[in-house]
Amino acid sequence: MGRGGEGSDAAVQAESGTTPNLAAWVCGVNVLKIEPFELPAVLGPNDVRVAIKAVGICGSDVHYLKHMRCGDFIVKEPMVIGHECAGIVEELGSAVSHLEVGDRVALEPGISCGKCKLCKEGFYNLCCDMKFFATPPVHGSLANKVIHPGDLCFKLPENVSLEEGAMCEPLSVGVHACRRANVGAETQVLIMGAGPIGLVSMLVARAFGAPKIVLADVHPDRLAVAKTLGADATVLVTHNIEDIEQEVAEILKAMGSDIDVTIDCAGFTKTMSTSLKCTRSGGMVCVVGMGDNEMNLPLTPAAAREVDIRGVFRYRNTYPLCINLLTTGKIDVKPLITHRFGFNQKDVEDAFTTSASGGNAIKVMFNL
């Protein structure tokens, strides 16, 4: 998929009378440009062409824009951004039989190899050859149109909007985290971080039957949102490592009983230290956030209490359940969408500025 721009490709399309497929490209630190995005002219037999209609901004998208990298993934050349998306099927490959032109679909953004040991054992989210939207060097989906495997396009019921379809991506992270943590009807849950992933994890934990959920965050605005969405209690914490003991006491008091599972959606040394101290003996800490690449943690006391630590990376086999949770009304993600923008140069720049500013911005959504 080549990059167009101000050169010959755009000129040829203009002369032929066709409308170029436009996309939002990360071209440098804090440099976004809407330019042509060339797609293959012929579909593969298992692929579909989708007109993208809704795209959400993820924290990783902001990170790529601000730092040209996220973890070990480095943007070395211009890249189309975006991976939380939904749209309308425009064209089907010859072997695609479960979809029809005009279907509204949510797109699972990761294409695994399907051949390695991890894929064959069902852990396809850990595939070393994963091609994931907007993860270098793979282009993303903030574009008028994309081509994607048909089996990763999930039809949306009539009562689920395209925006909700795009929200299936972050919601999948919450589903995978709660599955990894075995959250159920007897699980008391602490969630560190009340950003988008912390909030969807809270919604999923409640849908899975968790009787009490406490959220902790450094932003009072986000804790207020968590409260309106059903958190049983919230605790305002700080960035200071010296405050851990006092904050652990406040969190335990807010829970009022043992904490069975802590889901750390921030992933910093302080949040993980707090999580390990708060979680009961024999409990579990799930690490979702990746704030710090390296941490100095009190592992020995936690190990002596048999507190398990489980990693959470993206998700697997979650989209059907996410769509069911939205269809049945067991989860409502609409309140999480706080800001909406169109798809033009100014709107794209303003949307990323809004998302990066935090504050009362939870999920920023593009309507194409």
Side-chain angles (χ1 to χ4, degrees):
M1 298 178 186
R3 178 168 178 248
E6 300 170 357
S8 59
D9 287 343
V12 169
Q13 287 173 317
E15 289 176 6
S16 66
T18 61
T19 302
N21 179 42
L22 298 177
W25 296 78
V26 175
C27 300
V29 174
N30 291 324
V31 179
L32 279 167
K33 294 182 180 180
I34 293 185
E35 296 185 343
F37 179 34
E38 185 181 351
L39 299 176
V42 179
L43 282 182
N46 298 304
D47 293 334
V48 297
R49 190 185 308 274
V50 180
I52 297 297
K53 298 299 181 183
V55 180
I57 297 179
C58 173
S60 65
D61 296 324
V62 175
H63 214 74
Y64 282 125
L65 178 61
K66 288 190 165 296
H67 306 285
M68 296 296 283
R69 71 180 299 158
C70 190
D72 294 331
F73 297 102
I74 303 171
V75 182
K76 297 180 180 179
E77 57 184 25
M79 179 186 76
V80 177
I81 200 69
H83 62 269
E84 303 176 0
C85 58
I88 299 174
V89 175
E90 285 195 339
E91 185 181 357
L92 302 170
S94 59
V96 178
S97 59
H98 69 291
L99 295 171
E100 296 180 359
V101 171
D103 281 348
R104 299 174 316 116
V105 292
L107 284 68
E108 182 174 344
I111 307 171
S112 60
C113 75
K115 300 175 182 178
C116 69
K117 183 178 180 181
L118 287 167
C119 284
K120 289 182 176 180
E121 291 180 347
F123 302 101
Y124 70 85
N125 59 311
L126 305 179
C127 174
C128 293
D129 293 322
M130 175 70 77
K131 294 177 175 60
F132 199 93
F133 277 154
T135 300
V138 181
H139 290 306
S141 58
L142 183 47
N144 296 130
K145 302 177 193 295
V146 301
I147 290 175
H148 205 54
D151 63 354
L152 294 175
C153 296
F154 296 85
K155 184 175 179 179
L156 298 173
E158 289 185 4
N159 67 332
V160 176
S161 70
L162 286 160
E163 287 189 339
E164 291 172 285
M167 289 294 293
C168 283
E169 202 282 335
L171 185 60
S172 287
V173 179
V175 167
H176 188 48
C178 288
R179 281 175 171 174
R180 291 277 288 159
N182 298 320
V183 172
E186 297 181 347
T187 314
Q188 312 273 26
V189 179
L190 167 65
I191 297 176
M192 300 298 294
I197 297 302
L199 293 175
V200 293
S201 297
M202 179 190 75
L203 295 175
V204 175
R206 184 69 81 207
F208 280 16
K212 190 161 187 180
I213 306 170
V214 174
L215 274 83
D217 200 294
V218 297
H219 297 290
D221 291 346
R222 293 198 166 184
L223 291 177
V225 173
K227 197 69 175 172
T228 64
L229 292 175
D232 294 293
T234 60
V235 178
L236 182 65
V237 295
T238 73
H239 292 290
N240 299 324
I241 200 83
E242 296 83 6
D243 296 335
I244 284 182
E245 296 301 330
Q246 176 187 340
E247 291 170 0
V248 167
E250 292 175 3
I251 290 169
L252 292 174
K253 181 179 179 181
M255 181 64 75
S257 59
D258 286 340
I259 294 171
D260 302 303
V261 165
T262 299
I263 301 175
D264 184 358
C265 296
F268 292 102
T269 297
K270 190 193 173 192
T271 57
M272 270 301 292
S273 298
T274 303
S275 299
L276 291 169
K277 289 176 178 289
C278 282
T279 306
R280 68 167 173 81
S281 298
M284 184 186 301
V285 174
C286 273
V287 191
V288 181
M290 298 182 178
D292 285 337
N293 195 43
E294 295 183 0
M295 304 183 194
N296 185 7
L297 299 174
L299 287 179
T300 302
R305 296 189 297 110
E306 293 193 357
V307 177
D308 291 343
I309 301 175
R310 285 194 172 185
V312 174
F313 186 64
R314 293 174 179 158
Y315 41 80
R316 54 181 176 264
N317 303 312
T318 53
Y319 268 63
L321 177 57
C322 287
I323 292 172
N324 177 266
L325 291 169
L326 296 173
T327 303
T328 57
K330 292 179 180 177
I331 286 181
D332 182 8
V333 294
K334 294 189 290 293
L336 298 179
I337 305 172
T338 55
H339 295 75
R340 293 174 173 85
F341 290 85
F343 185 54
N344 56 62
Q345 184 67 43
K346 184 178 185 304
D347 271 8
V348 168
E349 292 174 355
D350 289 348
F352 272 86
T353 299
T354 300
S355 182
S357 67
N360 65 344
I362 302 298
K363 180 57 62 177
V364 177
M365 185 73 64
F366 291 104
N367 294 132
L368 284 74

